[in-house]
Amino acid sequence: MKALAVCKRELGGYFQTPTAYVLLAVYLVMSGYFFASFVLVAQEATMRPVLANLAVILLFLAPALTARLWSEEIRGGTAEMLLTSPVSITQVVLGKFTAAGCLFAAFLVLSGIFPVLMEVFGDLDWPATLTGYLGLALLAGTALAAGMFASSLTDSQAVAAVIGFGILLLFWLTGWIGDALPGTTGRVLRYAALVGHYDDFAKGVLDLGHVTYFLSLTSAFLLLTVQRLEAARLR
């Protein structure tokens, strides 16, 4: 219940500023652009190219969405008060993460109009489409957790957004780096790459190994955030 109270507080904070509205507008405009480009122009009843490109947009969107979560608290001097309150650090982290996740879930729900419109133009493969949306949601969870960890490192929202984007870009590109390296190192880097695990979802393939990867990486970033804040509290 305490985590839900934090979540409610953060959601209110999002809508008290232009942040949520601007990011929602950007997401829907880009979704509409990709929908028009790949579906209406190419006349193909598939969401795969749309979802693949939205995953790239997520690299920019998630850090912008989470940059304020901790950097604003640190800059405003409320972080120390929050960390010493009766609410545990873990509950605060989970509450803030849930708020960002709920906001992005609203983005996904609103973009659901595009598959519905696509059904009008052709016979849409709904199982593959829903699997693609599941993959995008899992990827978003990881991206939001990484962005929140970046936000806990600095009191500047701009710096937090840059760090968050850098972390996600690194995990996105490790697959290409792994392709250039032989042996175990190459295999480890290819496995660590976000894109390699997301691609199968976009193709309509549901692999529990990929689900485990995203959930594990999300948990790792949340744990890093908790540890970072615990260390800051003990100073």
Side-chain angles (χ1 to χ4, degrees):
M1 294 301 295
K2 292 180 179 179
L4 289 177
V6 174
C7 174
K8 182 178 179 180
R9 169 181 175 268
E10 290 301 323
L11 281 174
Y14 272 122
F15 290 101
Q16 288 173 1
T17 65
T19 301
Y21 304 101
V22 171
L23 294 179
L24 175 60
V26 170
Y27 179 81
L28 291 179
V29 167
M30 296 305 298
S31 299
Y33 170 77
F34 292 133
F35 177 77
S37 298
F38 293 109
V39 179
L40 298 182
V41 175
Q43 294 292 302
E44 295 182 10
T46 175
M47 284 291 291
R48 179 180 172 186
V50 178
L51 293 173
N53 281 274
L54 287 180
V56 177
I57 297 301
L58 186 59
L59 296 182
F60 300 90
L61 192 66
L65 197 62
T66 56
R68 61 173 291 277
L69 289 180
W70 283 106
S71 58
E72 188 177 78
E73 303 274 11
I74 297 172
R75 181 176 56 82
T78 57
E80 183 177 351
M81 181 169 40
L82 189 61
L83 295 177
T84 55
S85 68
V87 184
S88 70
I89 293 179
T90 299
Q91 290 172 326
V92 176
V93 168
L94 290 177
K96 286 176 174 286
F97 174 73
T98 302
C102 287
L103 187 57
F104 188 79
F107 292 5
L108 288 181
V109 170
L110 290 174
S111 69
I113 186 64
F114 298 113
V116 173
L117 288 175
M118 190 177 298
E119 182 69 25
V120 176
F121 293 96
D123 186 16
L124 180 65
D125 185 350
W126 279 102
T129 300
L130 293 176
T131 300
Y133 267 96
L134 173 62
L136 192 60
L138 290 169
L139 176 62
T142 298
L144 294 173
M148 187 166 65
F149 170 64
S151 180
S152 71
L153 300 176
T154 176
D155 63 354
S156 169
Q157 292 189 42
V159 173
V162 171
I163 294 175
F165 173 72
I167 292 173
L168 294 175
L169 184 62
L170 178 63
F171 274 91
W172 195 268
L173 297 178
T174 51
W176 297 349
I177 300 173
D179 288 338
L181 297 176
T184 302
T185 302
R187 288 194 297 271
V188 170
L189 289 176
R190 286 192 294 273
Y191 179 80
L194 290 170
V195 64
H197 293 277
Y198 174 72
D199 276 349
D200 278 349
F201 285 102
K203 297 173 184 175
V205 177
L206 180 58
D207 187 325
L208 291 181
H210 297 326
V211 175
T212 301
Y213 165 84
F214 282 117
L215 294 179
S216 299
L217 194 55
T218 300
S219 300
F221 278 120
L222 292 177
L223 180 60
L224 285 172
T225 304
V226 171
Q227 291 180 334
R228 159 66 183 167
L229 295 171
E230 286 280 9
R233 185 176 65 173
L234 295 175
R235 290 178 183 174

